[in-house]
Amino acid sequence: SGNASAQYNLGALYQHGHGVEKSMKEAMYWYELAAAQNDSQALTTLGLLYHTGQAGEQNYEKAASLYKKAAQAGNAEAQYHLGVLYTNGFGVDKDYKEAAAWYRRSAAQGNTSAQNNLGFLYHDGTGVPQSYEQALYWFEEAAKMGDASAQYNLGYMLSKGRGTKPHMEKANEWFHAAALQHHTNAQFQLAMNYYSGTGITKNEAEALKWFKLAANAGHTNAQYSLGFLYKGQNQIELSLHWFQLAAAQGHLSASNELGKYYKENNLYKQAFKAFSRAAKRGHAQAQYEIGLLYLHGLGVEQSYTTARHWLRAATDQTHVEAEYELGLMYEEGRGMPVDDEEARRCYRLAAT
């Protein structure tokens, strides 16, 4: 008994500590009273608390059950969250068709997150027939309502000509709109386009501004790009700073750039460490560089066998210089018997 809307509102006050001492226990109590009367907002909020673990436990099954009740009653937010559970298989069997159905119902009510996710499903043909035109439509619907992710996605579609003719000027307008909302991928893409003058007047100062905004927010490609820009300007300390940040997040080319700097300055142990990070994850140039360090015993104990291993790894990715170095090893018999035939094979591959 009691007014369900009042119970829900009281729960919200306790959840957020507005006018009362913040208490999730009290909030849950009032939300549950309202949910028992099938208040769709209370059902949705409880579902979200169980979904995210804010209820004291993370329980996807409870979340799904609560979302379903609210979604069937027409709550757009619950319909969206239920779609997310079906997309990921949380608390329900993964079912993209079911996810699409709930996203569609939510999207029809103007939920921009549902519209954006439905756009993704159409883009990839997941749970729905693949259609760039439909993807474009749903991204645009959400973008016009100010959804930053949709604005970025719409910009991407326009830049690639998916579902429409390519239109870089319009793409940049949407990238800019998303970038102003701190969408880091949009900031990075806008920076790249300013730097190259793609669909927009070339402006290195603007490029630098957007690279910095994305990089300071942790965008690894932006951090790497800043490192490269500062390297070109011979601002070594700044260049190393951004390469190090990107490398710490697993950016392989940034690790390789650090390795090159250390090697050029005869800091071979540091070079070995930097090249190793990238080489172990398949970066061909780093594999070649670490092969050379083992070959010449720089920063690491000399080992022809290990040098050959890394050079071979690089040649498996058609690295020409590594193929040439292998040819020299076979011709000169470094760590193996001389093999002129294998040397010729390596030289031929390097030459062509």
Side-chain angles (χ1 to χ4, degrees):
S1 63
N3 184 285
S5 295
Q7 291 166 344
Y8 170 76
N9 288 343
L10 195 52
L13 292 179
Y14 276 110
Q15 181 182 353
H16 302 292
H18 293 161
V20 293
E21 186 176 348
K22 189 173 183 178
S23 169
M24 188 58 73
K25 183 179 179 181
E26 281 293 313
M28 294 288 290
Y29 171 77
W30 291 108
Y31 285 146
E32 285 168 359
L33 284 180
Q37 298 191 67
N38 293 317
D39 182 276
S40 69
Q41 195 57 49
L43 288 165
T44 302
T45 301
L46 273 177
L48 190 59
L49 293 176
Y50 280 113
H51 184 172
T52 59
Q54 295 178 71
E57 60 170 315
Q58 191 166 50
N59 190 320
Y60 293 131
E61 288 76 14
K62 277 188 180 180
S65 176
L66 291 160
Y67 285 151
K68 279 181 183 178
K69 287 181 182 178
Q72 288 164 352
N75 186 288
E77 186 183 358
Q79 291 166 346
Y80 162 69
H81 287 301
L82 187 56
V84 171
L85 294 187
Y86 275 112
T87 299
N88 294 286
F90 293 159
V92 292
D93 292 333
K94 184 180 285 190
D95 188 332
Y96 291 116
K97 286 185 178 180
E98 193 70 13
W102 287 112
Y103 286 146
R104 190 182 307 281
R105 291 173 71 173
S106 181
Q109 297 191 68
N111 185 291
T112 59
S113 296
Q115 291 168 342
N116 188 52
N117 282 13
L118 191 56
F120 270 121
L121 294 185
Y122 273 113
H123 181 276
D124 297 337
T126 307
V128 293
Q130 198 281 332
S131 170
Y132 286 145
E133 290 77 11
Q134 280 293 305
L136 186 76
Y137 170 79
W138 287 112
F139 287 145
E140 188 169 10
E141 286 295 295
K144 288 187 295 188
M145 295 301 294
D147 187 287
S149 292
Q151 290 170 342
Y152 168 74
N153 292 331
L154 180 57
Y156 178 83
M157 297 288 283
L158 290 166
S159 71
K160 299 295 183 182
R162 294 184 179 177
T164 185
K165 292 180 180 179
H167 201 311
M168 281 307 306
E169 290 81 4
K170 285 185 179 178
N172 282 324
E173 289 175 9
W174 287 112
F175 287 144
H176 188 260
L180 289 174
Q181 297 194 68
H182 313 291
H183 192 288
T184 56
N185 282 339
Q187 291 171 337
F188 173 71
Q189 192 58 58
L190 190 61
M192 291 289 287
N193 292 345
Y194 268 120
Y195 186 73
S196 62
T198 304
I200 201 165
T201 303
K202 184 179 174 70
N203 188 325
E204 290 192 12
E206 278 293 300
L208 189 63
K209 179 184 84 173
W210 290 109
F211 276 137
K212 282 182 177 178
L213 285 168
N216 282 320
H219 194 287
T220 54
N221 283 333
Q223 291 170 341
Y224 171 73
S225 297
L226 273 182
F228 213 80
L229 284 176
Y230 284 124
K231 178 183 176 183
Q233 296 172 5
N234 205 34
Q235 296 190 55
I236 302 305
E237 285 190 17
L238 281 172
S239 176
L240 291 176
H241 169 74
W242 290 110
F243 282 147
Q244 285 164 349
L245 286 178
Q249 293 195 75
H251 197 292
L252 304 188
S253 293
S255 291
N256 186 65
E257 285 295 328
L258 286 172
K260 286 166 61 178
Y261 170 80
Y262 294 135
K263 181 182 176 183
E264 289 166 3
N265 288 275
N266 301 322
L267 301 169
Y268 295 117
K269 287 186 177 180
Q270 289 168 269
F272 177 79
K273 184 177 179 180
F275 284 137
S276 292
R277 281 200 301 261
K280 289 174 181 177
R281 293 182 57 195
H283 193 283
Q285 181 65 26
Q287 291 170 338
Y288 164 70
E289 294 285 359
I290 207 169
L292 292 184
L293 293 180
Y294 273 111
L295 183 64
H296 301 293
L298 299 172
V300 66
E301 186 176 348
Q302 186 179 50
S303 171
Y304 290 134
T305 301
T306 310
R308 188 165 67 250
H309 164 79
W310 285 112
L311 291 172
R312 179 62 68 198
T315 64
D316 287 343
Q317 299 188 67
T318 65
H319 194 287
V320 173
E321 288 86 355
E323 200 73 68
Y324 172 74
E325 289 293 337
L326 272 178
L328 282 177
M329 290 186 74
Y330 280 114
E331 183 181 8
E332 296 172 4
R334 296 188 189 180
M336 67 191 92
V338 169
D339 189 332
D340 290 334
E341 184 177 344
E342 188 63 18
R344 280 195 299 273
R345 187 191 71 82
C346 291
Y347 290 150
R348 190 175 293 112
L349 287 171
T352 57

